[in-house]
Amino acid sequence: MKYRPLDFSGVSTYPLASRKNKMNVQEHFAKPVRPGMTVAELLAAMPDQLGSQALNGVIDAVVAARAKGKPVVMAMGGHVIKCGLQPVLKALIDADVITAVALNGSGSIHDFEIALIGATSEDVGAVLHAGTFGMAEETGAQINEALKQGVAQGLGHGEALGRMILERELPYREQSLMAACVQKGIPVTVHVAIGTDITHQHPSADGAVLGAASFTDFRIFTSVVSELGDGGVYLNIGSAVLLPEVFLKALSIAQNLGHHVDRFTTANFDMQQHYRPLVNVVKRPTSGDSRGYTVTGHHEIMLPLLAAGILDRMGNKR
């Protein structure tokens, strides 16, 4: 059977002016940029569309949360820490914006190494086949020792390391996020999966200690999550698997124990959007009266922009 070209002459059309559009010049266009713009002017100049709309939405949610005295929780993967963003994060802690921090194991290791020697992040490919990847003596020995001492005192993983950094007066302790949290008195939790971190391959590693320290932090983290309802904000930054899973379980436990966790905001910041953050942070937890955002971009660009916007908007509110 052969097909003949279809006659389009009978196709119906409608006036362009009658169509509903997702974008119009009056509401959504960017504004001109110019030298010397303030943070507020730059954010206002962005087109009210997609990513910039999400970023401004997160900023507004954080400012509103702190005005109500609700938590703002920042959960981060190791890449955020090894990119050197601690000064940005500490500015938010000092301004009482961030009320709790959650890290995976790699985040805590990078933070410790920076506090100890002012550097971190070895070249894995260059040393993997030599059998020396992750075998630095000080990293494994000091972290595992601090965890053993911390567990004996009933501390979680994050607080044990933060205290150790301060008590030993490590040379670059002012750059440590965990130490900053301990000094400020806000929760800093570390959530590990045994076998994922270089300290687990050290001769001093103790699985029972790792489990006890991280489980204590999971219970603390769940307590923090239980307070998110009615205006809190949860930000997942650069953790593709572990922290989104931990968050979902903590949220389930909080609900199970009778805590009302609804009408809050979540956001996932990452260089690319992965399945678990999208489902376990942005979508499932916000299926009621909550709101979830996605912001895609490099942490070393997006986090300073986010922080600047929050601090600027909070300053204007005050």
Side-chain angles (χ1 to χ4, degrees):
M1 180 178 178
K2 293 185 178 180
Y3 291 94
R4 294 181 179 179
L6 196 63
D7 183 4
F8 289 179
S9 62
V11 170
S12 60
T13 64
Y14 61 86
L16 177 60
S18 69
R19 189 182 70 190
K20 290 185 177 180
N21 300 295
K22 295 180 180 179
M23 190 277 289
N24 64 70
V25 170
Q26 290 77 19
E27 296 179 77
H28 305 115
F29 251 41
K31 297 177 176 63
V33 296
R34 56 175 175 75
M37 294 179 76
T38 66
V39 172
E41 289 170 339
L42 176 61
L43 290 170
M46 293 179 177
D48 188 20
Q49 291 279 305
L50 305 171
S52 60
Q53 192 176 63
L55 178 63
N56 276 295
V58 173
I59 292 170
D60 284 338
V62 169
V63 173
R66 297 310 296 135
K68 291 180 64 176
K70 299 302 294 184
V72 173
V73 185
M74 193 168 282
M76 290 167 281
H79 187 76
V80 179
I81 303 303
K82 73 179 184 179
C83 279
L85 287 162
Q86 285 90 322
V88 174
L89 299 170
K90 286 180 69 176
L92 293 176
I93 291 173
D94 291 340
D96 293 321
V97 175
I98 298 176
T99 62
V101 168
L103 301 170
N104 61 10
S106 68
S108 69
I109 291 168
H110 288 306
D111 192 67
F112 164 78
E113 289 188 338
I114 288 169
L116 181 63
I117 64 169
T120 191
S121 191
E122 66 183 306
D123 187 342
V124 178
V127 298
L128 178 62
H129 296 290
T132 59
F133 162 57
M135 301 300 180
E137 169 62 20
E138 294 87 348
T139 302
Q142 293 191 37
I143 287 179
N144 288 324
E145 179 188 354
L147 293 180
K148 288 176 184 178
Q149 293 178 0
V151 167
Q153 299 172 49
L155 303 179
H157 195 302
E159 185 176 357
L161 294 187
R163 283 194 183 188
M164 179 265 280
I165 290 168
L166 292 171
E167 289 170 359
R168 295 187 181 181
E169 297 184 344
L170 298 189
Y172 296 90
R173 59 189 178 279
E174 291 300 319
Q175 303 300 327
S176 167
L177 182 62
M178 292 186 293
C181 291
V182 170
Q183 286 179 312
K184 189 71 173 180
I186 67 173
V188 53
T189 59
V190 177
H191 307 270
V192 304
I194 292 178
T196 60
D197 301 318
I198 61 172
T199 51
H200 305 168
Q201 60 198 42
H202 196 274
S204 64
D206 186 325
V209 168
L210 290 169
S214 196
F215 186 59
T216 294
D217 273 356
F218 178 52
R219 293 168 62 201
I220 294 170
F221 179 75
T222 303
S223 180
V224 171
V225 169
S226 73
E227 298 293 325
L228 283 172
D230 297 319
V233 177
Y234 183 83
L235 306 176
N236 182 75
I237 305 174
S239 179
V241 178
L242 188 62
L243 294 178
E245 290 292 350
V246 171
F247 173 62
L248 197 70
K249 277 65 173 185
L251 182 61
S252 178
I253 293 170
Q255 301 279 26
N256 181 273
L257 292 174
H259 297 277
H260 172 75
V261 189
D262 197 8
R263 295 191 292 276
F264 68 106
T265 300
T266 68
N268 183 59
F269 284 71
D270 214 337
M271 292 174 282
Q272 54 184 316
Q273 298 296 325
H274 297 277
Y275 171 79
R276 279 178 176 81
L278 285 174
V279 173
N280 291 357
V281 175
V282 177
K283 294 182 179 179
R284 285 173 176 161
T286 63
S287 58
D289 293 326
S290 300
R291 177 71 186 268
Y293 292 97
T294 59
V295 180
T296 305
H298 289 273
H299 306 310
E300 54 272 24
I301 298 173
M302 302 310 300
L303 271 182
L305 187 56
L306 172 69
I310 292 170
L311 294 174
D312 183 81
R313 219 160 280 181
M314 285 184 67
N316 289 335
K317 292 285 185 182
R318 290 169 180 165

